[in-house]
Amino acid sequence: MLVLRRWPALGVRARAAGAALIASALAFAVATPLVGHIVRVRLEHAALEQGWAAIADLEARVRAGAGGGEFQNYSYAVLAQDGRWLRSANLEDPRDTDPALGLPALSPDQYGTDSPHMLGTDLVTVRYPNGHAPHYRLPTAGPRTYRFLRKLTEPVSAARLAQLPPNGPRVDPVDLSDRQLLLYVLIDPLTGDETAATLTRVLACDVAPATSLFVALIAWLATGLALRPVESIRRQMAAVRGGAFHERVPVPRARDGIHRLARTTNDTLDRLQHALDEQRRLVADASHELRSPLAALRSSLEVPLAHPAAADWPTVVRGALTDAERLQDLADDLLLLARAERDTDRPGDTADAGAGGTVDLHDLIAEQLAERHYGGRELTYESELDEAVLTGRETLPARLVRNLLDNAARYADGRVAVTLAVADGWARLTVEDDGPGIPAADRERVFERFVRLDDARDRHTGGAGLGLALVRTIAHSLGGTAAAEPPGRLPGARLVVRLPTANGS
């Protein structure tokens, strides 16, 4: 229990080594008795095979009346028909100590040349109580069952029986007439028991502890080697934390979990560095963009204040109000850009993009086109609008459409074409004009913040350079895309926005 309580506080290497030690110990705990049992069964089978050969040899010697000292290697007994012991080797008659014990004899009706016992050899079992065994060298700890091979011979003469090697004869063979004999050969369990016990003891006391410790040591060393890339990642991350955002962690060659961790870490660092670069650039660009209207506003106020009597104050105030409105528009664009980028980075945050009902994009476009027919430049607006319903609020889609139309109106010579098509769950909004167009090399750059092409550097007509940047950012926050494509039906710019429709319809 103490180990389990402290387990979460252990290091990875210690836990790996401990798990390997426990697993190895459990494996040996299961395997040791199993191996001992298998060895015992195999040796008992070998002893049974030897017993078959021994009883066949014993029968041949009894029938031939042959003797020989090597015959003493068998544990056998020769019984008369009435169960009396005639000859034996390495076996004891238990009836000397307990008349109820003894090798089972055959009944009188089981003898005879036509007896089924004449057809083969039987395998019988005899259970000995505690303290008794067929021989003194066999174990007697508790009751045990021993196996014997039993064979009924053909009638044998007393003269042949007398030629068998003596081992404490129970009766005088001269008193026996020619009759059948009952042969017993013990299937010796001692070799299997001793070998299995020795093997079990060696495995449990010597092999298991040494092997478990060795496996734990190997697990400790292997885990240390496996964690080297993690330590390298940690050191590199420490350097990044110190401000070296250009550093990247080493990626191991093995495509495993650590490889994926390193790749993910480098991807995160790439995004972090990109975000920091964008932040620095945004601050620099915003400072640069704010400097001009602030300088103009300050100049428009300082000059009249220097000569208050000659100043046309209504004109001064109107000019200052215009500059203030331009500053406010720029600040609003920057705030909206930041909010849209937040929604893009955090798709689960749907405060503006994905919550609050639905938006009829075709109605929204139609309303803005209707407003542009009154006042401002004389432009011809052409439109082909399919019905498209988006998920979310109106704020961001309305700003996206407005920026696209403003950009087209700013550069068009006289015509602007708007097309809204729906297919396969996507709404495709295309805005084209007949202006100078966008060079192929700049079709990606126009979506960057504060970027104005050479023909649009006039701040009074070209804007602050945030319009198309807002278009792409809003499109991404809504789950879509924005791109500049080659000219189509009109020779100027062609901007295409794809947005997912509500319910994929």
Side-chain angles (χ1 to χ4, degrees):
M1 295 300 295
L2 180 61
V3 174
L4 292 178
R5 287 196 299 268
R6 293 185 177 180
W7 183 263
L10 297 176
V12 175
R13 298 182 71 182
R15 279 185 285 178
L21 180 64
I22 294 173
S24 179
L26 290 176
F28 274 102
V30 174
T32 296
L34 181 61
V35 171
H37 174 72
I38 293 175
V39 170
R40 181 182 290 108
V41 170
R42 292 293 181 86
L43 292 177
E44 287 178 354
H45 180 73
L48 180 61
E49 295 291 336
Q50 294 177 357
W52 284 101
I55 199 169
D57 189 19
L58 177 61
E59 180 186 17
R61 290 175 180 270
V62 168
R63 293 171 58 184
E70 69 278 1
F71 197 60
Q72 302 293 329
N73 293 331
Y74 303 152
S75 297
Y76 73 92
V78 180
L79 276 64
Q81 291 184 6
D82 55 5
R84 292 176 297 168
W85 283 50
L86 303 180
R87 292 287 187 271
S88 67
N90 300 324
L91 289 180
E92 299 175 353
D93 188 356
R95 289 175 297 184
D96 292 343
T97 57
D98 189 347
L101 298 176
L103 297 176
L106 296 178
S107 60
D109 58 348
Q110 291 178 309
Y111 282 88
T113 57
D114 58 348
S115 172
H117 291 278
M118 293 293 294
L119 302 177
T121 303
D122 297 325
L123 180 63
V124 298
T125 58
V126 181
R127 186 169 181 80
Y128 285 77
N130 186 19
H132 294 274
H135 192 260
Y136 69 91
R137 69 185 182 89
L138 295 175
T140 59
R144 178 163 182 175
T145 299
Y146 293 89
R147 299 188 301 168
F148 293 84
L149 286 174
R150 183 176 60 185
K151 176 69 176 179
L152 182 63
T153 68
E154 297 178 354
V156 178
S157 65
R160 290 182 178 177
L161 182 62
Q163 296 178 9
L164 290 176
N167 186 17
R170 305 303 180 188
V171 299
D172 188 357
V174 178
D175 297 334
L176 294 175
S177 59
D178 293 354
R179 64 184 64 193
Q180 293 176 279
L181 301 177
L182 198 58
L183 309 180
Y184 279 93
V185 172
L186 173 66
I187 306 302
D188 189 1
L190 188 59
T191 302
D193 291 345
E194 291 179 347
T195 303
T198 301
L199 180 61
T200 302
R201 183 176 62 255
V202 170
L203 288 176
C205 299
D206 299 329
V207 177
T211 303
S212 299
L213 292 176
F214 178 75
V215 170
L217 177 61
I218 294 299
W220 172 276
L221 297 176
T223 306
L225 293 176
L227 290 177
R228 281 186 178 179
V230 178
E231 177 62 20
S232 300
I233 294 175
R234 187 201 65 80
R235 287 195 299 267
Q236 291 297 107
M237 289 301 296
V240 172
R241 185 180 59 183
F245 295 105
H246 63 282
E247 295 287 345
R248 295 295 178 266
V249 301
V251 179
R253 297 178 60 185
R255 296 187 176 274
D256 52 7
I258 298 179
H259 175 89
R260 293 189 295 271
L261 172 63
R263 292 286 300 272
T264 303
T265 302
N266 284 337
D267 292 341
T268 303
L269 291 176
D270 289 339
R271 295 188 63 183
L272 177 60
Q273 185 178 10
H274 177 72
L276 291 174
D277 293 340
E278 288 292 312
Q279 183 182 22
R280 295 190 184 103
R281 190 164 67 88
L282 176 61
V283 171
D285 292 342
S287 300
H288 178 73
E289 293 297 327
L290 290 172
R291 182 180 303 169
S292 296
L294 286 174
L297 178 61
R298 180 173 180 175
S299 175
S300 65
L301 295 176
E302 285 180 345
V303 173
L305 285 177
H307 307 280
D312 184 1
W313 287 106
T315 303
V316 171
V317 172
R318 281 193 297 270
L321 181 60
T322 300
D323 291 335
E325 289 176 349
R326 187 158 179 256
L327 286 173
Q328 184 177 1
D329 291 341
L330 180 58
D332 291 342
D333 286 346
L334 289 174
L335 288 176
L336 183 59
L337 184 64
R339 292 173 59 190
E341 287 180 343
R342 178 202 63 186
D343 294 338
T344 302
D345 294 335
R346 296 186 298 173
D349 187 355
T350 57
D352 292 321
T358 59
V359 180
D360 294 331
L361 183 59
H362 53 285
D363 289 343
L364 190 151
I365 297 173
E367 291 174 2
Q368 294 205 23
L369 288 176
E371 293 176 359
R372 293 173 183 273
H373 283 295
Y374 302 96
R377 297 177 56 196
E378 292 294 334
L379 294 176
T380 300
Y381 289 93
E382 305 170 1
S383 62
E384 296 179 8
L385 306 179
D386 293 344
E387 292 187 2
V389 180
L390 306 182
T391 301
R393 297 180 180 177
E394 184 178 336
T395 306
L396 293 181
R399 187 56 181 270
L400 181 146
V401 173
R402 182 179 298 111
N403 284 9
L404 286 174
L405 295 178
D406 287 345
N407 181 81
R410 182 177 297 116
Y411 302 112
D413 290 336
R415 296 174 60 194
V416 175
V418 180
T419 304
L420 179 62
V422 177
D424 299 328
W426 288 88
R428 179 183 174 91
L429 173 59
T430 305
V431 178
E432 303 175 82
D433 61 68
D434 58 353
I438 303 174
D442 296 325
R443 285 173 188 160
E444 186 66 25
R445 196 168 66 90
V446 292
F447 291 99
E448 298 179 4
R449 288 174 294 199
F450 302 109
V451 170
R452 289 180 295 271
L453 301 183
D454 293 339
D455 294 338
R457 291 190 178 276
D458 183 1
R459 297 182 185 275
H460 297 286
T461 60
L466 291 176
L468 294 185
L470 270 172
V471 167
R472 170 166 283 185
T473 304
I474 292 173
H476 287 174
S477 69
L478 296 176
T481 61
E485 296 184 355
R489 55 189 294 186
L490 296 180
R494 175 184 171 91
L495 301 176
V496 179
V497 175
R498 297 178 72 251
L499 300 175
T501 59
N503 300 324
S505 59

